[in-house]
Amino acid sequence: MSQVPGERGSCSFRQLKATQRGFVFPLGIAFLLWYFASVLLADYAHEFMSTRVFGFITIGLLLGLAQFITTFAITTWYVSHANRKVDPLADEIRSDLAAGAHTDGQTQDERGAQR
């Protein structure tokens, strides 16, 4: 599919990117901090991580399982966010491009007024 020059500068495309980045970047940073904290704990806090919670279940095991749970939770949360916020904006941009409504960030009416 060919890219229409200037579409990246359109208001709707900027809104799409801001909506996506506003969700992805903060959540990505939070997850990476959580991940590195668990790795550092596993490497430097052996006694803490080997503390038994019940039976043979340790804090380290629970934190490891929590990594998997948070990964699936974040994925589910992003899919929900994308379906509600990102996809409708992308569909709008796609339909505008298919209809030829945007070229160089201008609508057909704006281009017609300049001629």
Side-chain angles (χ1 to χ4, degrees):
M1 182 175 204
S2 66
Q3 169 105 18
V4 175
E7 181 60 32
R8 288 183 178 183
S10 72
C11 184
S12 54
F13 187 79
R14 286 191 305 266
Q15 182 183 4
L16 171 73
K17 295 309 288 181
T19 301
Q20 181 188 27
R21 289 176 180 157
F23 184 89
V24 171
F25 287 148
L27 201 56
I29 290 168
F31 181 77
L32 285 174
L33 290 173
W34 155 238
Y35 173 75
F36 287 126
S38 66
V39 169
L40 290 172
L41 284 171
D43 197 29
Y44 296 107
H46 297 284
E47 284 188 38
F48 172 71
M49 295 295 274
S50 62
T51 303
R52 292 181 188 261
V53 179
F54 47 88
F56 292 105
I57 306 298
T58 63
I59 291 175
L61 180 61
L62 292 177
L63 287 178
L65 290 172
Q67 288 290 323
F68 285 103
I69 292 168
T70 55
T71 299
F72 289 116
I74 289 170
T75 301
T76 302
W77 191 9
Y78 177 73
V79 167
S80 173
H81 170 77
N83 287 338
R84 285 182 294 108
K85 307 257 176 145
V86 177
D87 290 349
L89 292 171
D91 290 342
E92 179 184 323
I93 293 168
R94 189 177 300 113
S95 65
D96 287 349
L97 287 172
H102 286 283
T103 302
D104 296 330
Q106 297 178 334
T107 64
Q108 287 179 343
D109 293 336
E110 291 170 337
R111 284 194 314 273
Q114 289 177 350
R115 291 182 186 163

